[in-house]
Amino acid sequence: MMKKSIWTLSSLALAASLSLGSCTEAGSKTGGAEVANKVADRLQEQPAEQPAEPEQEEQVEKVAVDRKYDDVARILAGMSIDEASEFYEVTQGAAWKAYAKKADQGWASADAKRFDELRTWAGTELAGLNEMKGDLFYPFSGPDIYYGYQFFPSAKNYHLFALEPAGNLTFMKSDDVNWMNYCNSVQNTIADFIRGGFFHTKHMKVDMARTGVLPTLLVFLVRSGNKIVNVRPVAIQADGSVAVLEGSNDFSSVRVDFLDAKTQEQKTLFYHSSDVSDAGLEKRPELYKHLEMVAANRTFTKSASYLMHRPTFSKVRELILAKAKAVFQDDTAIPYHYYNSSEWDFTFYGQYTSPIPLFKVRYQSELREVYKTQKIKDLPFSLGYHSTREHDNMMIAKRKN
């Protein structure tokens, strides 16, 4: 009988089969239309330089590096690790090597078909938004740090909010056969994301309710070239600030520190498992205060089940409209008619005809008129519910002052 040694972030171990969801057109990254409807029905810096003074470095919190996090993320992503790692033996078996080869092929195919073009496009079309620096606010994100990072590499902190639990990680020695259960489940998730560019509701509802989104977040970060520094549970305080919960087993919210692939700057991803409907915010005033803070940045939203079309999500919609410096979204986010043209400059991409049949009631006649009468720029890739570039759309709304 093989001996097992398990090191956990939480006393709750992950299920051995880490089935991290994928997505159909009917799905959404908030837990999907089903979850959204149920929730809705239930209610739902840098100091100025001083002349003649020595240049002063920006004060950055120092975080101890624990290589376990990066090693585990790379193993799940199908990427090699240093032979000095305690988990090195995992990567020497035939099963993992076959897994890694398949993962590399999947990512290479996705790069060729979508991601390389996406990065090139973002480097040009989102250059102005990236010059703003600061943070990125990504509501209804699910585990999608991948697009958030690719579109906004200049962000210092990434603030993701969705219904799916953050989850936790279990670290095992190389003789534990559950490693391949973890790996194969992650590969299924990534394969679906690579094919469609978003996550399927029915899988997320089942799988992520059991395992959380954390493993997927880590895989996306290391597959983007970054290095994981630390993973810690956090909690939103009464004043809206976020504090690390040292020694806590509560992973409702999680902080992932990582080193940026290009700049080697330390950055942070915050994921909060939160109901940001009006009803949810009424129950958690500290969450509303936190949203007031992070909404005063750039906002990115896609494949969001048209939640902010609903009156039951008016608070988060109004916060974005009142505070955001810029918004990058598709038609599933804030309806176009809510934007005041005297306050915003717009750039439109792709095509807008109608939503998929599941969301046909969310058709926007005003947006359709824009696409019929104004000059629209090309969107050379798909990343939404239609799964084809012929029907996908994105919009930049940039505040005028």
Side-chain angles (χ1 to χ4, degrees), residues 285-306:
E286 80 283 3
L287 176 59
Y288 184 81
K289 290 180 181 178
H290 183 62
L291 289 179
E292 284 187 303
M293 298 176 185
V294 300
N297 286 288
R298 296 159 293 180
T299 294
F300 170 47
T301 307
K302 63 174 283 292
S303 305
S305 287
Y306 299 87

Side-chain angles (χ1 to χ4, degrees), residues 65-134:
V65 176
D66 188 335
R67 68 174 298 166
K68 289 188 179 77
Y69 299 101
D70 196 62
D71 288 344
V72 170
R74 292 179 66 88
I75 292 173
L76 295 176
M79 302 168 70
S80 63
I81 60 175
D82 189 272
E83 62 182 32
S85 170
E86 64 180 287
F87 305 122
Y88 181 68
E89 291 181 26
V90 175
T91 66
Q92 299 309 293
W96 186 87
K97 289 182 179 180
Y99 166 83
K101 181 178 180 180
K102 186 174 181 180
D104 284 342
Q105 290 172 341
W107 281 97
S109 175
D111 282 341
K113 293 179 179 178
R114 179 186 294 116
F115 297 147
D116 284 343
E117 195 164 26
L118 180 151
R119 284 185 284 267
T120 299
W121 180 90
T124 300
E125 298 299 328
L126 301 184
L129 300 192
N130 275 292
E131 288 173 0
M132 293 179 176
K133 305 293 183 182

Side-chain angles (χ1 to χ4, degrees), residues 121 126 151-152 299-303 327-333 346-352 367 371 376-379 381-384 391-397:
W121 180 90
L126 301 184
F151 284 133
F152 295 94
T299 294
F300 170 47
T301 307
K302 63 174 283 292
S303 305
V327 181
F328 181 49
Q329 65 161 71
D330 65 5
D331 67 296
T332 72
F346 302 97
T347 307
F348 300 92
Y349 299 90
Q351 297 289 334
Y352 178 76
L367 186 59
Y371 273 79
I376 307 299
K377 304 185 75 170
D378 185 37
L379 188 68
F381 49 84
S382 64
L383 71 164
H391 298 285
D392 274 353
N393 62 84
M394 294 300 295
M395 176 186 85
I396 294 175

Side-chain angles (χ1 to χ4, degrees), residues 152-383:
F152 295 94
S154 70
K156 172 64 176 176
N157 301 303
Y158 298 83
H159 305 273
L160 276 59
F161 297 80
L163 290 177
E164 291 76 36
N168 54 73
L169 292 177
T170 299
F171 299 107
M172 293 170 286
K173 277 194 172 180
S174 59
D175 61 354
D176 195 317
V177 295
N178 283 335
W179 268 109
M180 289 316 301
N181 288 331
Y182 276 71
C183 290
N184 289 327
S185 296
V186 168
Q187 189 172 68
N188 291 337
T189 301
I190 301 305
D192 287 333
F193 174 83
I194 285 174
R195 284 194 296 269
F198 59 102
F199 297 88
H200 285 254
T201 299
K202 64 179 182 180
H203 293 155
M204 289 181 71
K205 184 178 180 181
V206 175
D207 298 331
M208 291 192 176
R210 183 172 67 246
T211 65
V213 305
L214 182 54
T216 305
L217 294 172
L218 296 183
V219 168
F220 283 160
L221 285 173
V222 295
R223 274 290 176 177
S224 297
N226 303 303
K227 182 178 180 62
I228 308 301
V229 172
N230 209 339
V231 180
R232 294 177 290 176
V234 296
I236 299 174
Q237 305 299 293
D239 64 355
S241 63
V242 175
V244 173
L245 301 178
E246 297 291 359
S248 173
N249 292 329
D250 182 1
F251 272 73
S252 301
S253 296
V254 64
R255 167 178 175 159
V256 180
D257 297 299
F258 62 97
L259 293 181
D260 185 85
K262 294 182 179 180
T263 66
Q264 294 304 300
E265 175 189 11
Q266 181 174 296
K267 297 185 176 182
T268 300
L269 159 65
F270 294 95
Y271 176 85
H272 300 281
S273 176
S274 302
D275 174 6
V276 298
S277 69
D278 291 359
L281 295 177
E282 286 287 344
K283 295 176 182 177
R284 295 187 60 193
E286 80 283 3
L287 176 59
Y288 184 81
K289 290 180 181 178
H290 183 62
L291 289 179
E292 284 187 303
M293 298 176 185
V294 300
N297 286 288
R298 296 159 293 180
T299 294
F300 170 47
T301 307
K302 63 174 283 292
S303 305
S305 287
Y306 299 87
L307 294 177
M308 287 188 287
H309 287 231
R310 297 169 176 267
T312 48
F313 284 83
S314 64
K315 291 183 182 296
V316 65
R317 182 181 67 229
E318 290 167 2
L319 276 177
I320 294 170
L321 291 172
K323 293 179 172 293
K325 298 177 181 177
V327 181
F328 181 49
Q329 65 161 71
D330 65 5
D331 67 296
T332 72
I334 297 175
Y336 173 66
H337 70 81
Y338 280 109
Y339 286 92
N340 186 334
S341 60
S342 66
E343 298 178 4
W344 301 88
D345 289 321
F346 302 97
T347 307
F348 300 92
Y349 299 90
Q351 297 289 334
Y352 178 76
T353 52
S354 64
I356 59 174
L358 178 66
F359 297 109
K360 63 182 180 181
V361 298
R362 303 303 175 190
Y363 176 75
Q364 300 181 59
S365 58
E366 298 93 340
L367 186 59
R368 177 58 182 156
E369 187 64 21
V370 168
Y371 273 79
K372 287 169 58 178
T373 60
Q374 295 188 25
K375 182 178 180 180
I376 307 299
K377 304 185 75 170
D378 185 37
L379 188 68
F381 49 84
S382 64
L383 71 164

